């Protein structure tokens, strides 16, 4: 299978060729676990989950190694701990659990590795020692800094020229660094802050070195794919490249991929602006995880995606249509199927999820038109195999419709059961009355050999 991916480093869409097809490696920067993730934070894990699924399909499940970290030590976490008067580990573990639960609801597969920064500090110290030894970094009282001037090709990912790097807003407490663009690898310990011993003085790691070290620990470099949101290109990923390449003498990652922003009213969703919605809020409002996932995949990953209720309503409608087709073919026997070629080709073309969803929709039409039992079985299997490759249609269809009616589902069940009883008793007036009552609630009843099922009317 030919997979093409847009590489931020080369600014081109190019064929993806892993270093070793038996060991395909991918790293995605994970959440900073000081506060619950919002729906914008969920975009990278969902997008790269689709890539993970596609790579597993292409190279085999065991051949793909995917690491997504937890940044569980950071200024924001320390501040949150002080403000709330709660120990750091208590905050980070609770947020991690919430994150895992949200990702589960969005059908995100568990990555192969989920390293925590705090559990990999010795690896970070080792990289920093290497950088000091080869002149790429220097220690001063406030910490250890990477010397940007010592790195000739610094700026190659973001396209920023060294001269432009006024990135210069000086950070408090970093007065002794040599150049404003130099960045912290290690921050000398301050009273009341967590710290680790190191040959260059007790302290804690900077954010960028965490990812460089965890990539080396979990996967070894160069990795095939490194991903994250577009806001991470500079400085985070630029700095990961600078550190890792200066320490190891070879590339950190061959393909760099970045998802566009999720916005609301065209403004980036972010905690600092305060325009956030969390997956939990949406789930509590009654939206299903898969509906949220579908909405997140409805735009190409590189494009911005504007979030609103209409997007969710549209996603729910499309999924209802898909589940309706599966439900109608509930009695068709299960047969094995590979995801259809046109569907896979859409995904393999730089993860074109809108095109893949259009193919999925064509498979629904196909399923709805299938007449012969063998055709029906095949159409259902095609649809489900395609769905699985993007993490959709993972629910039992009856469960899907029940869940989308929330608390009303029980009452609908009772009406359907009463109608089945009326029909059995040949009380057709009552049976018609119940059908109308159900129709009023937006429910369509489908009678088939194994009984009656219901779904939301299309
Ligand atoms: P953070 O927890 O802020 O470090 O962000 C975790 C991930 O979410 C990073 O890959 C960010 O690039 C990504 N991210 C943050 N905000 C958005 C947004 N509004 N849209 C898309 N991705 C985002
Ligand atoms: Zn990172």
């Amino acid at each position: 299978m030919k997979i093409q991916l847009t590489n931020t480093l080369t600014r081109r869409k190019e064929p993806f060729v892993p270093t070793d097809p038996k060991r395909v490696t991918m790293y995605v920067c994970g959440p900073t676990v000081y506060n619950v993730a919002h729906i914008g934070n969920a975009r990278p894990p969902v997008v790269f989950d689709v890539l993970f699924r596609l790579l597993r399909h292409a190279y085999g499940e065991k051949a793909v190694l995917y690491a997504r970290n937890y940044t569980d030590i950071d200024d924001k976490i320390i501040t949150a701990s002080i403000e709330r008067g709660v120990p750091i580990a208590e905050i980070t573990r609770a947020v991690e659990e919430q994150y895992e639960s949200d990702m589960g609801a969005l059908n995100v597969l568990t990555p192969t590795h989920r390293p925590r920064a705090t559990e990999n500090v010795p690896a970070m110290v080792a990289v920093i020692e290497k950088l000091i030894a080869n002149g790429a970094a220097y220690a001063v009282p406030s910490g250890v800094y990477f010397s940007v001037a010592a790195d000739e090709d610094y700026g190659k990912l973001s396209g920023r020229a060294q001269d432009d790097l006024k990135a210069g807003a000086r950070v408090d407490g970093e007065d002794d660094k040599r150049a404003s663009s130099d960045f912290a690898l290690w921050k000398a310990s301050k009273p009341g802050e967590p710290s680790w011993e190191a040959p260059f003085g007790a302290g804690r790691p900077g954010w960028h070195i965490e990812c460089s070290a965890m990539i080396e620990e979990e996967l070894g470099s160069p990795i095939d794919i490194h991903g994250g949101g577009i806001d991470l290109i500079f400085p985070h990923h630029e700095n990961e490249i600078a550190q890792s390449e200066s320490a190891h003498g070879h590339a950190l990652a061959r393909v760099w991929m970045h998802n566009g922003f999720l916005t609301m009213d065209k403004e980036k969703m972010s905690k600092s602006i305060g325009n956030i919605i969390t997956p939990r809020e949406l789930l509590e409002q009654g939206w299903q995880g898969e509906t949220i996932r579908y909405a997140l995949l409805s735009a190409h990953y590189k494009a911005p995606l504007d979030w609103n209720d209409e997007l969710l309503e549209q996603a729910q409608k499309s999924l209802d249509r898909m589940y309706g087709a599966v439900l109608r073919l509930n009695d068709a026997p299960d047969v094995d199927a590979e995801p259809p070629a046109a569907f896979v080709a859409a995904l393999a073309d730089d993860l074109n999820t809108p095109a893949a969803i259009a193919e999925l929709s064509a498979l629904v039409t196909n399923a709805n038109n299938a007449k012969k039992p063998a055709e029906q079985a095949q159409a259902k299997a095609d649809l489900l195999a395609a769905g699985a490759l993007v993490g959709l249609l993972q629910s039992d269809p009856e469960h899907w419709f029940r869940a989308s009616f929330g608390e009303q589902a029980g009452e609908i069940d009772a009406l359907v059961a009463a109608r089945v009883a009326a029909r059995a008793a040949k009380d057709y007036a009552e049976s018609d009355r119940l059908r109308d009552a159900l129709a009023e609630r937006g429910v369509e009843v489908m009678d088939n050999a194994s009984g009656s099922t219901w779904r939301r009317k299309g």
Side-chain angles (χ1 to χ4, degrees):
M1 182 200 306
K2 268 199 198 151
I3 297 178
Q4 303 231 72
L5 301 172
T6 296
N7 188 349
T8 309
L9 195 57
T10 60
R11 293 158 183 79
R12 278 200 309 265
K13 184 156 86 174
E14 46 192 46
F16 174 66
V17 186
T19 308
D20 176 1
K22 293 200 193 67
R23 190 175 181 282
V24 182
T25 49
M26 173 162 86
Y27 182 89
V28 173
C29 297
T32 305
V33 281
Y34 72 106
N35 216 335
V36 294
H38 55 68
I39 200 74
N41 297 135
R43 195 173 186 195
V46 168
V47 162
F48 289 101
D49 178 67
V50 173
L51 182 55
F52 185 36
R53 288 171 189 261
L54 179 68
L55 293 171
R56 283 156 55 109
H57 178 67
Y59 298 99
E61 283 195 11
K62 293 220 173 74
V64 187
L65 305 179
Y66 171 25
R68 188 188 66 212
N69 73 295
Y70 285 114
T71 295
D72 61 348
I73 183 70
D74 164 274
D75 291 344
K76 290 180 208 152
I77 296 174
I78 295 171
T79 310
S81 158
I82 294 167
E83 278 176 8
R84 295 186 222 161
V86 178
I88 285 177
E90 207 171 292
I91 294 180
T92 56
R93 291 304 155 88
V95 176
E96 262 181 44
E97 268 174 37
Q98 179 65 47
Y99 188 82
E100 290 297 327
S101 141
D102 291 346
M103 291 306 116
L106 300 183
N107 292 350
V108 170
L109 298 174
T110 305
T112 330
H113 302 287
R114 287 170 292 165
R116 294 187 178 111
T118 52
E119 290 170 359
N120 287 278
V121 177
M124 297 165 202
V125 170
V127 183
I128 297 171
E129 280 195 281
K130 247 184 166 174
L131 291 169
I132 295 175
N134 68 20
Y138 56 90
V140 289
S142 73
V144 180
Y145 295 90
F146 184 87
S147 174
V148 167
D151 182 11
E152 275 175 12
D153 59 1
Y154 186 84
K156 65 182 170 191
L157 181 71
S158 60
R160 297 191 187 209
Q162 286 239 8
D163 295 346
D164 295 345
L165 288 170
K166 299 195 189 74
R170 281 197 170 263
V171 179
D172 275 355
E174 295 190 348
D175 300 331
D176 52 356
K177 69 179 181 183
R178 290 180 194 157
S180 62
S181 52
D182 291 352
F183 58 88
L185 300 169
W186 190 256
K187 303 178 184 206
S189 72
K190 293 191 199 127
E193 286 185 0
S195 80
W196 286 263
E197 289 306 320
F200 34 80
R204 62 190 167 91
W207 175 32
H208 318 305
I209 199 71
E210 295 177 2
C211 286
S212 282
M214 285 187 276
I215 290 171
E216 215 53 43
E217 278 296 286
E218 298 293 5
L219 304 170
S221 63
I223 52 171
D224 290 307
I225 299 168
H226 192 313
I230 194 171
D231 52 338
L232 300 188
I233 295 177
F234 187 88
H236 184 51
H237 289 166
E238 196 72 79
N239 293 352
E240 281 187 33
I241 291 177
Q243 299 158 161
S244 288
E245 295 194 356
S246 300
H248 307 303
H250 58 248
L252 171 59
R254 295 167 60 242
V255 181
W256 287 83
M257 293 176 67
H258 294 96
N259 65 270
F261 285 141
L262 186 132
T263 58
M264 273 213 299
D265 296 327
K266 304 282 192 265
E267 188 170 37
K268 179 192 176 190
M269 183 176 285
S270 91
K271 285 166 199 159
S272 55
I273 298 174
N275 58 344
I276 63 168
I277 304 179
T278 64
R280 173 182 277 192
E281 283 169 340
L282 293 171
L283 294 167
E284 281 173 1
Q285 286 167 22
W287 297 105
Q288 300 198 55
E290 237 178 62
T291 307
I292 302 171
R293 182 181 175 96
Y294 185 107
L296 285 170
L297 295 176
S298 62
H300 190 270
Y301 77 88
K302 286 195 301 170
L305 172 64
D306 205 45
W307 193 263
N308 49 49
D309 274 355
E310 210 176 297
L311 183 74
L312 283 166
E313 279 155 20
Q314 204 51 50
Q316 160 118 39
K317 239 187 204 163
S318 303
L319 281 168
D320 279 353
R321 177 169 173 265
M322 292 179 186
Y323 274 110
V326 180
L327 186 59
R328 192 170 307 112
L329 299 181
N330 227 4
D331 293 337
D334 291 327
V335 296
D336 281 337
E338 285 290 311
F343 175 82
V344 178
L347 284 181
D349 179 14
D350 200 18
L351 290 191
N352 192 340
T353 51
I357 285 174
E359 289 295 335
L360 212 49
S361 176
L363 292 170
V364 173
T365 306
N366 214 16
N368 287 342
N369 292 339
K371 296 282 173 323
K372 295 193 190 123
E375 280 170 11
Q376 290 183 333
Q378 189 63 47
K380 180 173 86 165
D382 285 350
L383 181 56
L384 291 176
L389 196 51
V390 279
L392 296 175
L393 302 180
Q394 301 291 289
S395 279
D396 169 77
E398 289 193 48
H399 179 264
W400 170 265
F401 287 108
R402 295 181 61 78
S404 72
F405 273 86
E407 286 163 5
Q408 274 191 49
E411 296 164 29
I412 294 169
D413 279 345
L415 290 169
V416 171
R419 184 172 160 275
V420 169
R423 270 159 58 102
K426 299 201 165 28
D427 183 350
Y428 296 113
E430 176 65 358
S431 142
D432 287 351
R433 191 190 67 78
L434 287 165
R435 177 181 288 269
D436 293 345
L438 284 158
E440 252 170 52
R441 292 176 176 244
V443 172
E444 177 185 353
V445 185
M446 289 182 286
D447 302 312
N448 50 36
S450 54
S452 292
T453 54
W454 58 267
R455 64 172 195 142
R456 186 188 293 280
K457 266 198 299 198

